[in-house]
Amino acid sequence: MKKVLVAGANGQIGKHLVRLLQESEQFEAKAMIRDKTQASFFENLGAGVAVADLEDEIDVLAALMDDVDAVVFAAGSGPHTGKDKTIMIDLDGAVKMMEAAKQKGVSRFALISSFDTRRGSWGSEEFRPYAACKFYADEWLRASGLEYTIIHPGRLTNDEGTGKVNAGEEVERDEVPREDVAKVIVETLNSPHLIKKEFQVTKGEAPVMEALKTV
């Protein structure tokens, strides 16, 4: 089995992702959390746990990767923090995880970005700092030399996943359940054709595996 380090494991996508990795026959999860009091959820799933903060130094983050085959960055500062935390987590935290992966020779790296990070699509003034951080994290990953995949989900909901999505280089803006995004991540890690690719994903009618074949 391949071991996957999930940064942002205690987030809403992260929890779904760790569960699905543990349920799969190809992967096992190592949940990266900031607080050891969060560990029981993941231990009950049989997942490994690593306690660290994305504001730690690169060497500290690299030490978490001794036994892993892939990294998923599903972390985010959240909607209730200031611009400073957005910079430190969504941009600097993401880049440090990329650099740590390179240091440890962990080449496979999946990044959960925003739906459309292209300049001109940053929206309101309030949203722009977040969009800018995602834009530059995406840019850094593209230039990193890692075997990356960048996933651009639509508006996230807590609806129960359907296992069906719409995925492509550019799709119509729509919502998508967090559980389905987690399913997309698992299938992405099992899909070599998605290395060095990025795509948008929303709710849809095609099973995840079939939808990703067209990317």
Side-chain angles (χ1 to χ4, degrees):
M1 280 196 180
K2 293 183 178 180
K3 185 174 288 188
V4 181
L5 178 65
V6 180
N10 201 55
Q12 294 180 80
I13 291 176
K15 284 185 171 180
H16 284 301
L17 177 58
V18 171
R19 174 179 57 80
L20 291 169
L21 288 168
Q22 290 302 108
E23 291 174 356
S24 75
E25 296 181 355
Q26 297 87 12
F27 304 105
E28 57 181 331
K30 185 175 184 179
M32 179 179 163
I33 56 176
R34 287 185 299 168
D35 188 338
K36 63 182 180 181
T37 63
Q38 301 166 343
S40 60
F41 174 87
F42 304 102
E43 291 170 345
N44 290 338
L45 293 173
V49 173
V51 180
D53 194 303
L54 285 167
E55 295 189 53
D56 289 337
E57 296 299 323
I58 292 173
D59 287 349
V60 174
L61 301 175
L64 309 179
M65 302 183 187
D66 284 334
D67 58 345
V68 305
D69 304 287
V71 175
V72 175
F73 190 89
S77 58
H80 305 299
T81 59
K83 297 175 185 177
D84 55 341
K85 280 294 182 185
T86 301
I87 293 169
M88 296 310 297
I89 301 302
D90 296 83
L91 176 53
D92 192 54
V95 171
K96 286 194 294 188
M97 289 296 285
M98 297 171 205
E99 291 300 299
K102 288 168 66 176
Q103 182 175 311
K104 283 295 181 178
V106 180
S107 59
R108 193 71 175 99
F109 198 106
L111 175 68
I112 312 307
S113 185
S114 186
F115 182 71
D116 191 346
T117 58
R118 294 172 296 185
R119 289 188 178 277
S121 302
W122 289 5
S124 67
E125 184 174 345
E126 182 181 0
F127 186 71
R128 284 175 192 169
Y130 170 81
C133 286
K134 292 298 188 185
F135 170 84
Y136 284 108
D138 291 354
E139 285 284 284
W140 195 283
L141 184 53
R142 293 183 193 110
S144 67
L146 294 168
E147 294 182 348
Y148 71 83
T149 304
I150 302 173
I151 300 168
H152 299 274
R155 186 175 65 82
L156 298 167
T157 74
N158 288 323
D159 296 340
E160 185 176 352
T162 65
K164 295 182 178 181
V165 297
N166 182 24
E169 183 176 336
E170 191 165 355
V171 301
E172 186 175 349
R173 189 180 291 270
D174 205 343
E175 62 187 26
V176 60
R178 288 178 171 87
E179 186 176 11
D180 282 335
V181 175
K183 291 176 182 177
V184 166
I185 298 168
V186 175
E187 190 58 39
T188 293
L189 293 172
N190 206 30
S191 301
H193 80 280
L194 293 177
I195 290 173
K196 297 196 174 179
K197 288 189 179 181
E198 57 188 291
F199 57 89
Q200 296 176 333
V201 61
T202 64
K203 66 181 181 181
E205 299 300 323
V208 168
M209 184 181 298
E210 296 303 315
L212 294 184
K213 285 180 180 178
T214 66
V215 173

